[in-house]
């Protein structure tokens, strides 16, 4: 998913906007009108950053696991069972295991992450990824 986001984010500013979509479609030989591009972007309830991109694609394609599966995956790294994982630990895993995140991808991902006291609240994070959390006032 991060590769797809990066391919669409033509200007590499961490957000997908109408110009990014227009350039991406153009490179594929298509030229959708501005109305179509605006309708695509209107599906996101806010600026289309990497976190929102994941959420939209999970809804459209079923590309991410249900909330319980994501929560359980994070829980495997939660030694205390308190719903939180040390920020540096999860960053180390993402940068050094599996499909490694780049520094820019880390910045984009953790820009929206609920981190308090150096710990990622993965309960809230799963809600953000799946689009089920409500912003606290």
């Amino acid at each position: 998913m991060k590769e797809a986001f990066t391919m669409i984010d033509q200007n590499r500013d961490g957000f997908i906007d109408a110009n990014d979509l227009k350039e991406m479609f153009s490179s594929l030989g298509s030229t959708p009108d501005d109305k179509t591009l605006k309708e695509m972007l209107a599906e996101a309830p806010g600026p289309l950053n990497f976190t929102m991109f994941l959420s939209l694609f999970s809804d459209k394609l079923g590309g991410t696991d249900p909330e319980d599966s994501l929560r359980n995956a994070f829980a495997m790294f939660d030694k205390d069972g308190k719903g939180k994982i040390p920020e540096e630990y999860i960053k180390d895993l993402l940068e050094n295991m599996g499909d490694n995140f780049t520094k820019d991808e880390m910045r984009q991902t953790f820009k929206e992450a609920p981190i308090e006291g150096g710990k990622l609240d993965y309960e809230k994070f799963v809600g953000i990824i799946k689009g089920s959390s409500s912003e606290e006032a």
Side-chain angles (χ1 to χ4, degrees):
M1 291 301 290
K2 64 184 177 168
E3 287 133 3
F5 179 86
T6 302
M7 287 175 59
I8 298 169
D9 182 19
Q10 298 283 311
N11 62 7
R12 305 291 188 258
D13 66 352
F15 294 90
I16 295 173
D17 59 22
N19 288 332
D20 291 325
L21 289 175
K22 189 178 286 189
E23 288 182 37
M24 187 225 22
F25 277 109
S26 177
S27 72
L28 297 171
S30 178
T31 52
D33 59 32
D34 288 340
K35 181 183 176 207
T36 302
L37 297 173
K38 286 180 184 176
E39 288 171 355
M40 287 178 181
L41 291 170
E43 291 184 37
L48 191 50
N49 61 14
F50 183 62
T51 304
M52 185 60 62
F53 182 77
L54 286 176
S55 177
L56 287 174
F57 266 86
S58 69
D59 292 344
K60 296 281 183 194
L61 303 175
T64 61
D65 296 321
E67 283 188 42
D68 286 340
S69 296
L70 286 172
R71 221 175 264 109
N72 290 339
F74 278 113
M76 291 174 48
F77 301 102
D78 181 9
K79 294 175 186 167
D80 302 329
K82 295 184 177 179
K84 297 184 182 352
I85 302 171
E87 176 184 9
E88 292 307 314
Y89 179 60
I90 195 74
K91 284 182 175 181
D92 182 57
L93 291 173
L94 292 172
E95 289 177 319
N96 298 302
M97 295 189 72
D99 188 13
N100 302 345
F101 277 42
T102 65
K103 295 290 182 192
D104 189 51
E105 290 162 343
M106 294 295 288
R107 181 188 56 76
Q108 291 174 20
T109 301
F110 282 88
K111 185 176 189 177
E112 305 279 329
I115 297 174
E116 298 171 13
K119 295 194 179 229
L120 169 70
D121 183 332
Y122 65 83
E123 298 281 345
K124 289 180 184 176
F125 196 51
V126 167
I128 291 169
I129 291 170
K130 295 301 289 182
S132 63
S133 70
S134 58
E135 292 295 315
E136 296 177 358

